[in-house]
Amino acid sequence: MFLYFRPYLSCHRHRLLLSTFLRNPNPKSSKPLLPCLLPHSIRRLSGQIAAMDATVDSLRRAVSEKQAAAEKQGEIVRAMKADSGASKLEIDAAVEGLKGLKAEVSALSAELQAKLAVDGSNGGGLSREAFREKVVNTLERRLFYIPSFKIYRGVAGLYDYGPPGCAIKSNVLAFWRQHFVLEENMLEVDCPCVTPEVVLKASGHVDKFTDLMVKDEKTGTCYRADHLLKDYCKEKLEKDLTLPVEKAEELKHVLAVLDDLSAEELGAKLKEYGITAPDTKNPLSDPYPFNLMFSTSIGPSGLSPGYMRPETAQGIFVNFKDLYYYNGNKLPFAAAQIGQAFRNEISPRQGLLRVREFTLAEIEHFVDPNNKLHTKFKDVADLEFLMFPREEQMSGKSSRKLRLSDAVSKGTINNETLGYFIGRTYLFLTSLGINKDRLRFRQHLPNEMAHYAADCWDAEIECSYGWIECVGIADRSAYDLHAHTEKSGVPLVAQEKYPEPREVEKLIIAPAKKELGIAFKAEQKKIAEALEAMTEKEAMEMKANLESAGEVEFHVCTLGKAVKISKKMVSISKEIKKEHQRVFTPSVIEPSFGIGRIIYCLFEHSFYTRPSKAGDEQLNVFSFPPLVAPIKCTVFPLIQNQLYDEVAKQISKSLTAAGISHKIDITGTSIGKRYARTDELGVPFAITVDSTTSVTIRERDSKDQIRVSVEEVSSVMKEVTDGQSTWADILWRYPTHSSGPAE
Amino acid sequence: MFLYFRPYLSCHRHRLLLSTFLRNPNPKSSKPLLPCLLPHSIRRLSGQIAAMDATVDSLRRAVSEKQAAAEKQGEIVRAMKADSGASKLEIDAAVEGLKGLKAEVSALSAELQAKLAVDGSNGGGLSREAFREKVVNTLERRLFYIPSFKIYRGVAGLYDYGPPGCAIKSNVLAFWRQHFVLEENMLEVDCPCVTPEVVLKASGHVDKFTDLMVKDEKTGTCYRADHLLKDYCKEKLEKDLTLPVEKAEELKHVLAVLDDLSAEELGAKLKEYGITAPDTKNPLSDPYPFNLMFSTSIGPSGLSPGYMRPETAQGIFVNFKDLYYYNGNKLPFAAAQIGQAFRNEISPRQGLLRVREFTLAEIEHFVDPNNKLHTKFKDVADLEFLMFPREEQMSGKSSRKLRLSDAVSKGTINNETLGYFIGRTYLFLTSLGINKDRLRFRQHLPNEMAHYAADCWDAEIECSYGWIECVGIADRSAYDLHAHTEKSGVPLVAQEKYPEPREVEKLIIAPAKKELGIAFKAEQKKIAEALEAMTEKEAMEMKANLESAGEVEFHVCTLGKAVKISKKMVSISKEIKKEHQRVFTPSVIEPSFGIGRIIYCLFEHSFYTRPSKAGDEQLNVFSFPPLVAPIKCTVFPLIQNQLYDEVAKQISKSLTAAGISHKIDITGTSIGKRYARTDELGVPFAITVDSTTSVTIRERDSKDQIRVSVEEVSSVMKEVTDGQSTWADILWRYPTHSSGPAE
């Protein structure tokens, strides 16, 4: 179950309210109007951003003070001019003063504007948007991805991977299989995307997997309600230089709590700010929930509704019983699935990050809830990386480097198994080429988590869109198996057989139905149920009170009142029973990877430019590690020459046999141009044929070159692309080639 | 575009009719009531089956003759008994005769029944159904696959791959990528499943991708019309022992032409045979077309209809322009895609062979229609395998071994590129473990092909369901690119630049609009169009006739009549023009692989049983080659012993590092049982730890064992599972281990 997209958060929130409802007959009164205000606004104000905001605030304050002063001075000037008693000298002085104030207003406004612009920049001066445009242009031009069905003007939120993008995706998935499935002996399954309604009813998606939508009342065009409110607030904050500080505070607050607003609250805000349809300025409908699943119908009758799965996890949960059996009825074990998932977004934005169809790779690691240790935790215990625990977020601090073993032993991370997967995820992402300084593990705040979850961490990667949730790692306790057990009637449970029977003390609460019936008539059933539902502590307290006082007050939630219970109405005792086994619903730890998001962040982290040799242009480079590079190497004859072409073809053949993807280019284009073209595809190695016996191998980022014999070249390539050796390992084994082919 | 499923065939047929219609104002009259009767019925009667049918026919004839004789004799007996003149002796003799005839009838009926039963058997005595049941039971028990959403009673036509099935699928796809994409430098793309209507409108799926359906008129239950007719005919032929030979002939003929029946013809047959709803015996509706695509809606407005793609090919066609550019504007090149496809079957049958969601791997190889040679054809030219050309099918012969180079040079296979892919497909399938004697390449008969297709061959694999189309390899000419060019307005074309401009003679037909207008008024437009549409031959003939006679009769199709054209109404000439390049729509050769079907056939071809050592039971074995085996080896300590366990774990670790999937089993179960369990999963090698320095490796099928040192074992495993060496290569390099662990 993929936690990080907003819809799912909203789904969790709904479930949270639902559970509140079940336990509390009047949930409305217990829900604050703007819930979770504090943690969210604190989170948004953390660290550096808080400092930035402080400067902006003081500038705003200065602008409005000077503006007020200038207005006052203007009035003075007007009054002086109207009053014939003022001398020209006096008036000139006042006008000078006014000019000075106006100049100060515009200087401060310019400063404010500059500050707001920096807010969106990417450190090195290039704004985030400009950097993104450069990356995206390169990606589209080199067909890393293509807007789907482009010749028919495309469909928002649908993208194709073109040849290099497709190769990267398939490399990322192959490595995921090696790193997780093979390494952990996981049970991989492959379930259909078409899913009958009953399954997604049980999981909660049919009822709760929604976003709030508004419609243009005249044209019927649909918008995401929170997007409109967000755009309004951001626009005001970034562009309106006369915005009073108090108003700015309010808008920032709205942005902070945006995800938590109910339909009513969102509607009220849209009305309050006078927000209309962006394209037509027509009035908007009230917000209402829109289910994000693509719906369809299974079979020809039209009577079997189905959906395209919004995540792959449910396919694993419904198979739990078989998989547990396959694993020899032993815990722990993990199942995994890679596959397409679908979300019918209302209005997709953020390019490759929010799309309507995407590949998920999900793991469901089933454990005994009483034992969440992990035998291989020691393998990752010493890793140190950026974590952003709940406390740091709530106290306005930044993320910081923590040692994994400390985070688990201090209870920051709930348990070893969760910690193990956080560590393995860190290794996975950084092996792909994600910059470890722009990767953090952020713990969910209490209000972000579903009520049943024990602990959740997101791997967030920083890119031009900000910190993006790319992997969710959650301890979901027994929620999902419970839900399917209940709906299907098939118990999805595990057994632990005791080596020998155990004597267990059991609490027995036996309501005396006859006595209850005499005393309470029709209400007796609910009272009996409430008695049976008491915890051990409550029951033992009642027993003591009944013995001492003969009668107690007992609050029955389902009746919304207290009743008097006497000694003869219930018998409470403890009995010793023999048990041969324990039957329980396993907990599940769920690492869920959004493959498309990871790949997009990888594109941004790998992209850089460097001047061409002539210095007349900036050349684009993707610094993909060999593991993920779409093409591992190129084969170029230095000059057009039949002998060199033959050698190149021979090398190409042996590379193919070794399973190394490569590109052979025997056009006469200059070697520099050929390097530049393939640097832009992220090809890590270039083999240049400049003799019939040996060749040069050039590494993309360092541009270092070594000489290797024709016979050896494919095995050397195999070594560095398989990850058996690094370029550094190879470099000292072969002569470097300094007077190499001119680039 | 996946050719081999029946719906697509029906789609082709519809297109064929459509094109006939466009060229012929009265298509109905030109369409035979039961089209393509001859070739189909001949195909079904080919070879051995024809012989079988002959025996059955003569038995049927004998049964009905004897039956008639018995009835006659019965009458005689009755007449004798009624006629008091007959003596008891005479009557007894007649009764004996009757008894004899009745005995003959039942003996012949039994023989006929036996013959009909053999028809469904699998050679070795075990009937096809019994064999299939054995395989399928093993597959389900060991979770190779699982009916999807089983705990909710499943959904027809949807299956999960469980752990071993999923591993096989991922191995098959990895090999497909190596064998096709890498080896041929194909451009792999990855497009979404959700597809907007316009794309599938252009491809013809929205209008033509249908099956004929009937409904139970009372309950509304849906059935495939052809299934009901087929079931009726088969049931009659197999079970009705009194079926007259003529009736049997008729039913066999219906079966032969089943795929070609129109809705009206199917409806008439259902009525004629009195076929009713199978479950209720209620009357059925007339057959009507049901579109097999899962439909959905893209975005929240409900105004953008979409479908789950029924094939992956369209994603490639719509990207042709970009891919051609990516390939440096050069032909030929191939694009490939692996992905899910969806077909909302009316009533899925045949288990894993006809499902509602499946994985396709498709290649679109784009070529210049004037040059379909393939540079690598020589690599496959000498292959010899079973082919079933059109002529053999139509003359009632069987498939036979042909050399690929001969088939291409004799024109049996239309061109080298098509031949190349047929050869590569043969190598692909046999490398997976498909039995080459149960694999044939069958050419489509003229009536099976779309009108635009140049040639089509199916790789058919024989399994318990008969010969199953698993790969379609078609030369589809320029059809698909044409269709999308027309619909999108974006020209999907290629250019060939001439080294120097060429002088080309061009036909110029210039209708004189004024003259035509005077003569024909409103009809002039259609006449002018018809004149411009003349072929070179027609135009030059007209020119000659006009010059000699001054006037000609000209048939205008679109008017349905002939008109008189005089010399001044049209000018026909030839001009010399300079051309710098040729612009043309490429042809596409399309190999399309149904991965699930291939895997199912592989299961059947790999399955065998052998007696256990004690001889008390039959053990199941899947003889998967290492390439596809879900788990490459097992690691078993011979006996429970901490030292051996440690060695086993150490070996497991080095296997993981080498990327070899394996299973370690340190339970104390007997080694024989552990072998049997993993033979049933198709694990090719078992490593048994019976010392701390060396181990035995046992090969699954031969049960041969060798001794290898602990240090070497993972590199030996790597060698044999990577395909660098075979077991035979390894066997002589290491000491064989004859007194090995008892099995």
Side-chain angles (χ1 to χ4, degrees), chain A residues 11-32:
Chain A
C11 168
H12 284 172
R13 195 169 58 83
H14 280 278
R15 285 202 209 155
L16 194 57
L17 293 181
L18 186 72
S19 76
T20 310
F21 180 75
L22 289 175
R23 283 191 244 108
N24 184 329
N26 189 7
K28 285 276 156 59
S29 66
S30 73
K31 193 190 162 232

Side-chain angles (χ1 to χ4, degrees), chain A residues 152 160 169 190 296 299 344 484, chain B residues 169 190 295 299 319 344 484:
Chain A
Y152 293 104
D160 300 343
K169 184 180 166 190
D190 182 22
T296 191
N344 196 9
H484 285 294
Chain B
K169 184 179 167 191
D190 182 22
S295 68
N319 280 324
N344 196 9
H484 285 294

